Amino acid sequence: LGIQALLIVTITLSPVTAASWSENDVPGEDEYPPLWDLAHENLLDFPVKDNKIVIDAWNYQERLGVYKSLLNSSAKYFSAFGPQNTGNILWGLPLQHGWQFHTGRLADPSGETSCGYEDGDLLCQSVRSWWSCMNYYLSVIPFLGAVEAGLFGQLPFEVEILPPEEQKDDFCYSVADCWSRMPKLMDDWKAFFEVNNYLLSTEHKAASPATFSSLKLDDALGLMWKAHVTSIFYALPRFQDSLKYLSDPEANFAENWANAVDFLGATYFHTDLPTVNKFQAFLPPRILVEGDVPPSISDFSPQQNEVLVSMEALHKANKLTGGLLLKLWQKAMSTEAGRKIGRKLIESLISS
């Protein structure tokens, strides 16, 4: 059951190999996160106060601007993997966040404020939202790691992230603050950007031109997923109490989602724009409520119902084995050859 569930989740959530794109393939507007065109293009578009670039990460559009600046500044790393930056493996982060916004998962789940609702401040991200808090560790932390790694060059100002109204101790707000609180996590994200910069260097390409592209992508994916999984590892215990605001079905889905990331990460999934867009359609299109029992949720597609069933089965199987299922999977995926076998298997299952 566990292995079958694992394969179903793997297939439906994200393929292992990048989708084939030609130079004539241009992404449509609806393939980007909501309000992408309105987000800031680069860091100097954000307001500057007291010689600091000030970012309100609890505003959806500003957090989206953090992602957009990351995508724009890292485009040079991934130009060989798709036109118009579509092959950038960082796309998975803002696209997931856009799905969270679109499905209402960033709004105040307690209902005590109008944060995130159409009749209030639609762009507000609630600190009571489990999804919003978890995403902070997959947006602000990677961003500050990139600042420290020099992705944006020599900035004329320091960067400061505004704190939320509650739970201020659960977050960090500057490069120095994050380094002091969670050095391992910052180091993982910094390493991702630093190694990409090295692999792009003229010296490295000249030394191994034949293997440059494959080595670069495999290395980049490995470092990105290592940092991604570490982010969730840090965030999960901090926001366990936030699950109380969710319905039982939504809280279960949230925990199943976090568990699935460990399995997905072990396989170095490609998280480029076309791949994530294609398979994100299988995720729940709204917040789960009491009475939602997959695979019989009437307003969900059969595939969306199947994903929920499979993710729960995978989580249960991993718990029943005391985490052994994940360890076995990680061992199988620990070499490039192993990952290639897994990719071929999944490709064949998708095509059939």
Side-chain angles (χ1 to χ4, degrees), residues 290-311:
E290 299 297 346
D292 282 336
V293 182
S296 304
I297 305 177
S298 60
D299 59 334
F300 283 19
S301 70
Q303 294 92 341
Q304 288 164 347
N305 271 287
E306 184 64 32
V307 164
L308 292 176
V309 171
S310 301
M311 290 179 76

Side-chain angles (χ1 to χ4, degrees), residues 89-108:
I89 63 174
L90 289 173
W91 272 116
L93 299 176
L95 286 170
Q96 271 281 284
H97 196 48
W99 164 76
Q100 293 162 0
F101 174 76
H102 177 71
T103 57
R105 287 179 163 85
L106 304 179
D108 182 357

Side-chain angles (χ1 to χ4, degrees), residues 58 106-109 113-117 120-127:
W58 300 98
L106 304 179
D108 182 357
T113 73
S114 61
C115 178
Y117 294 97
D121 183 356
L122 182 61
L123 298 181
C124 174
Q125 293 194 203
S126 176
V127 73

Side-chain angles (χ1 to χ4, degrees), residues 116-256:
Y117 294 97
E118 290 188 9
D119 58 353
D121 183 356
L122 182 61
L123 298 181
C124 174
Q125 293 194 203
S126 176
V127 73
R128 297 184 182 182
S129 162
W130 183 88
W131 294 98
S132 181
C133 292
M134 293 292 293
N135 178 265
Y136 191 96
Y137 281 70
L138 290 168
S139 55
V140 172
I141 310 300
F143 164 69
L144 292 175
V147 171
E148 178 71 358
L151 179 68
F152 306 104
Q154 192 68 34
L155 292 172
F157 310 104
E158 291 183 26
V159 177
E160 180 180 13
I161 311 297
L162 296 179
E165 294 182 0
E166 306 173 28
Q167 299 176 230
K168 295 181 180 180
D169 291 341
D170 289 327
F171 309 95
C172 58
Y173 309 103
S174 68
V175 170
D177 185 29
C178 291
W179 269 113
S180 66
R181 295 200 200 189
M182 47 195 76
K184 172 65 169 63
L185 178 54
M186 283 288 286
D187 192 57
D188 281 354
W189 281 110
K190 182 186 177 188
F192 166 71
F193 292 104
E194 284 183 334
V195 170
N196 277 313
N197 193 49
Y198 164 70
L199 291 172
L200 191 69
S201 68
T202 303
E203 294 81 2
H204 179 79
K205 286 191 286 186
S208 52
T211 58
F212 166 65
S213 293
S214 62
L215 280 175
K216 173 191 171 187
L217 188 58
D218 193 64
D219 289 345
L221 284 165
L223 288 166
M224 194 250 340
W225 277 111
K226 179 184 178 184
H228 190 127
V229 169
T230 305
S231 284
I232 292 179
F233 175 81
Y234 269 79
L236 267 178
R238 285 172 168 79
F239 307 114
Q240 196 68 23
D241 287 348
S242 298
L243 293 171
K244 68 185 179 184
Y245 296 117
L246 304 177
S247 68
D248 287 343
E250 179 70 12
N252 288 337
F253 166 62
E255 293 186 305
N256 294 339

Side-chain angles (χ1 to χ4, degrees), residues 41-43 66-78 85 88 90 143 146 150-153 155 193 197 200:
E41 295 279 343
N42 58 65
L43 287 191
V66 165
Y67 280 131
K68 198 169 186 178
S69 64
L70 275 176
L71 266 292
N72 288 344
S73 295
S74 63
K76 58 189 177 184
Y77 299 142
F78 305 103
N85 204 23
N88 195 320
L90 289 173
F143 164 69
L151 179 68
F152 306 104
L155 292 172
F193 292 104
N197 193 49
L200 191 69

